[in-house]
Amino acid sequence: MSKLITVFGATGQQGGAVIRTILQDETLSKEFRIRGISRDTSKPAAQALLKHGVELVSADMSSKESLLKAIQGSHSVFLVTTPAWGVAGSDAELIHGKNVADVAKESGVQHLIFSSLLDVTKESDGRLKHVPHFDQKAHVEQYIRSTGVPATFILPGYFMNNYTSFGMLRKGEDDVYTLAYPIGKDALFPLIDIAADMGKFVAAALKNRSETLGTQILAAAEYYAATRILAEYEEVTGRKTQFVQLDSEVYKSFIPGPMGQEMLENHLFIEKPGYYVGRSLKESQALLSKSGYQATSWKSFLEQNKSSL
């Protein structure tokens, strides 16, 4: 009989990618049946999953009782938590993650795969203290480790679709597209096509459970400097580009409130000590290759998404 995997954020970028990859994988589609967790099971994206045989359940991540019903019977769980964007002082993401960890422990889950990130405050020696969507995930990871639940931690890189979804490359009056950051052009971004590739890294963890338990998998295709990001953008689109380094206060003025400080420090972290503090991607790429997958390059992403550029 097939095992049950419960996937949080079933209609989101990460959870959706996990579900699609499992459904399309010849081995995993036979090994697992899928339960998708969504806050709203009536929306079209959720209803579309039903047509593929995915069981749909809604759950309140603030309620352990609700989560127990959602997770019960699961062999594996994929967990992604949602930041309380712009809400200063909120620890909702941390509470939700801890709740799932407790319920996973109580339910006897055999493999909890958590979408984690590094602790920016710790890794920057306290220089950068306002990146809660990193720090809280790191604290959830610490908590999961403390419970003893068998777990793998996948740390997604910088989303390629940030450039297409948020208009980060802006067209000027001179038809030149500008990429503006509060850091230098040589800072390295570990890019990932999140909607296409997060599922591949999770699938690799599922296929290599014993090997990946307790480890961090760095989910990114490659490190890219802004100069290469723009060069390949020009190559694919034929457009002219330029990089502009903004003063920190000017950068924050474009994003008012706590979000401005958070995004500023997020990028300062990428420059120093680095998104993954200088760690190599080779081990994660080898695991991906061994599992029959290959990460999407930035150039391939651009070619596949030309219509939305």
Side-chain angles (χ1 to χ4, degrees), residues 137-148:
K137 288 182 179 69
H139 297 161
V140 171
E141 176 178 332
Q142 287 176 335
Y143 186 78
I144 291 170
R145 290 181 184 276
S146 75
T147 66

Side-chain angles (χ1 to χ4, degrees), residues 134-196:
F134 271 61
D135 288 3
Q136 290 194 25
K137 288 182 179 69
H139 297 161
V140 171
E141 176 178 332
Q142 287 176 335
Y143 186 78
I144 291 170
R145 290 181 184 276
S146 75
T147 66
V149 176
T152 303
F153 306 96
I154 300 183
L155 283 59
Y158 194 91
F159 295 3
M160 292 180 186
N161 68 357
N162 284 348
Y163 296 98
T164 53
S165 300
F166 300 119
M168 290 174 68
L169 281 154
R170 296 182 181 274
K171 182 181 180 181
E173 292 179 4
D174 53 1
D175 289 341
V176 173
Y177 286 75
T178 298
L179 177 61
Y181 278 134
I183 52 179
K185 58 183 172 53
D186 297 320
L188 295 174
F189 292 77
L191 298 186
I192 180 173
D193 181 352
I194 196 70

Side-chain angles (χ1 to χ4, degrees), residues 41-80:
T41 57
S42 66
K43 59 185 179 183
Q47 291 299 305
L49 293 174
L50 289 173
K51 296 175 184 176
H52 293 284
V54 176
E55 176 192 358
L56 273 181
V57 176
S58 61
D60 177 1
M61 294 181 76
S62 300
S63 163
K64 288 188 182 181
E65 184 181 358
S66 172
L67 288 169
L68 188 60
K69 290 176 183 176
I71 289 175
Q72 220 152 29
S74 301
H75 174 277
S76 300
V77 170
F78 170 72
L79 171 62
V80 57

